[in-house]
Amino acid sequence: MPGMVEVDGSAGGGQILRTALTLSMLSGESVTVTDVRGDRPEPELKAQHQTAVAVAAAVCDAAVEGAELGSEAVEFDPGVPTGGDYEAEIGTAGSLTLLFDTLLPLATVLDEPLSLSATGGTDVKWSPPLSYYRRVKLPLLREHGLAATVEPERPGFYPAGGGHATLHLWPSSVSQLALDGGAPGSDGPQARIYSLASESLADADVADRQADAAERELSDLAVESVHREVTYAAATSPGSSLVVTLDGDGIVGGFDACGEKGKRAEAVASDAVADLRAFRETGAGVDEHLADQLLIFLALAGGRVVVPRLTDHVETNLAVLDEFGYDLSVEESNRSVVTIRK
């Protein structure tokens, strides 16, 4: 009979709660997350985390306590995840991709298709932009058997949000991951550029300038850019984002930056390409953000993933997985990377 798992939420942010919800739905085990977001400047349950709890509860008909705004602890007792059409509105610029992450692994246990149509932030700080999700994470998981896609409809930037996108999942399974990386400094991978800005920034050519600057900096690194996509779209708040992907030679990575008031488009490009430059020197198989996002799939399917380093997000996700009984080994290497295996 499924038991109760207790997770200490004080060591990190909303990721601990989202991961706990996902693993609870996958395993059927009830979970209590205490001291939610305890180490954040503004702790406790915020709108985007409350939305994740509400969506998870709807999908598996869960009994929930502590789901109100400002709650310090959440108790979640799941039923069986069920397909169907669901809707959610964060009401702020809270991240849609992080909300989608809560449900994404459920494709491995669903009997029927599931869709979640949601409103919030699509391209905001501290979370994967929608282009990263669509161009890096989902293609990699589809290569390993996961049937999932995201349909973008409207971008949402900070502070108003108002973006809209739909996650589609189909019953599927995931094969073993083997993401070992290439040699440090390898010239093999190819880059692709995805630059987005609100229509209000079209006269200033913001999306074009982001892409132009990224191309110049990639050329300086002798990295071949094989695709460029520049988009202007209607949005409630002005904003921009840039995603530069890197794939081939055994690696998969995405590097992004968001525009903000007073920040030049060229600086946005420099931030994204600087992360790409640092990644290429590690020899890892995936970028450090994808590293923690893949851990649940590694736990479910097995395999190995070589990551640039043990970030706080990787360590907290490993800790939550351990609470649910998943045993992942961590091996540090002399080439400044970490291999995580099951």
Side-chain angles (χ1 to χ4, degrees):
M1 180 177 178
M4 169 69 77
V5 177
E6 295 187 7
V7 173
D8 180 2
S10 65
Q15 182 198 38
I16 292 177
L17 175 64
R18 289 187 297 270
T19 300
L21 292 172
T22 303
L23 294 174
S24 176
M25 290 187 285
L26 289 171
S27 67
E29 294 183 278
S30 302
V31 66
T32 297
V33 181
T34 60
D35 200 5
V36 173
R37 303 178 63 252
D39 78 340
R40 294 302 189 249
E42 297 181 7
E44 305 169 348
L45 212 64
K46 303 299 182 185
Q48 63 178 350
H49 316 109
Q50 182 188 45
T51 305
V53 174
V55 168
V59 166
C60 66
D61 192 24
V64 182
E65 294 186 15
E68 63 274 4
L69 289 175
S71 175
E72 296 180 355
V74 175
E75 294 184 13
F76 188 84
D77 183 10
V80 177
T82 304
D85 298 326
Y86 300 89
E87 295 184 357
E89 183 170 350
I90 296 177
T92 68
S95 170
L96 292 186
T97 55
L98 294 182
L99 176 63
F100 291 160
D101 265 353
T102 310
L103 298 188
L104 191 61
L106 295 188
T108 63
V109 297
L110 289 174
D111 291 328
E112 298 176 350
L114 179 152
S115 70
L116 171 62
S117 181
T119 302
T122 62
D123 295 73
V124 292
K125 280 187 172 182
W126 320 121
S127 63
L130 201 60
S131 287
Y132 179 102
Y133 212 73
R134 297 179 61 227
R135 309 299 187 181
V136 180
K137 182 175 182 176
L138 291 187
L140 172 62
L141 290 173
R142 283 196 292 266
E143 287 179 7
H144 290 81
L146 193 78
T149 189
V150 166
E151 179 183 358
E153 297 171 48
R154 179 184 174 92
F157 303 105
Y158 180 84
H164 193 231
T166 301
L167 171 70
H168 298 283
L169 302 177
W170 293 268
S172 50
S173 59
V174 180
S175 61
Q176 280 197 347
L177 305 178
L179 299 164
D180 292 327
S186 170
D187 291 329
Q190 297 178 324
R192 292 171 173 80
I193 297 169
Y194 301 92
S195 186
L196 169 69
S198 58
E199 285 181 344
S200 61
L201 299 178
D203 287 346
D205 297 324
V206 167
D208 293 273
R209 288 165 50 208
Q210 287 178 166
D212 290 343
E215 285 184 324
R216 289 194 298 270
E217 296 202 24
L218 289 170
S219 179
D220 291 342
L221 294 176
V223 174
E224 182 184 10
S225 175
V226 297
H227 180 79
R228 168 189 169 120
E229 191 171 306
V230 173
T231 304
Y232 293 94
T236 305
S237 292
S240 72
S241 69
L242 176 71
V243 175
V244 181
T245 73
L246 195 66
D247 63 83
D249 195 38
I251 68 172
V252 177
F255 311 91
D256 61 85
C258 288
E260 55 188 279
K261 188 175 182 179
K263 185 174 184 177
R264 290 180 57 80
E266 291 76 13
V268 174
S270 291
D271 286 349
V273 177
D275 289 342
L276 181 150
R277 181 189 301 112
F279 169 76
R280 290 180 70 228
E281 296 305 315
T282 67
V286 300
D287 68 76
E288 66 178 44
H289 301 297
L290 194 55
D292 67 82
Q293 297 175 48
L294 291 178
L295 292 182
I296 287 181
F297 298 98
L298 183 62
L300 295 174
R304 63 193 180 279
V305 178
V306 179
V307 307
R309 62 190 180 95
L310 283 180
T311 64
D312 291 342
H313 282 283
V314 169
E315 291 189 312
T316 54
N317 248 4
L318 286 171
V320 178
L321 284 161
D322 183 66
E323 292 290 349
F324 279 84
Y326 291 101
D327 184 20
L328 301 183
S329 65
V330 179
E331 304 166 12
E332 297 194 47
S333 166
N334 58 8
R335 59 180 178 133
S336 300
V337 294
V338 177
T339 302
I340 306 175
R341 303 176 185 270
K342 180 190 176 189

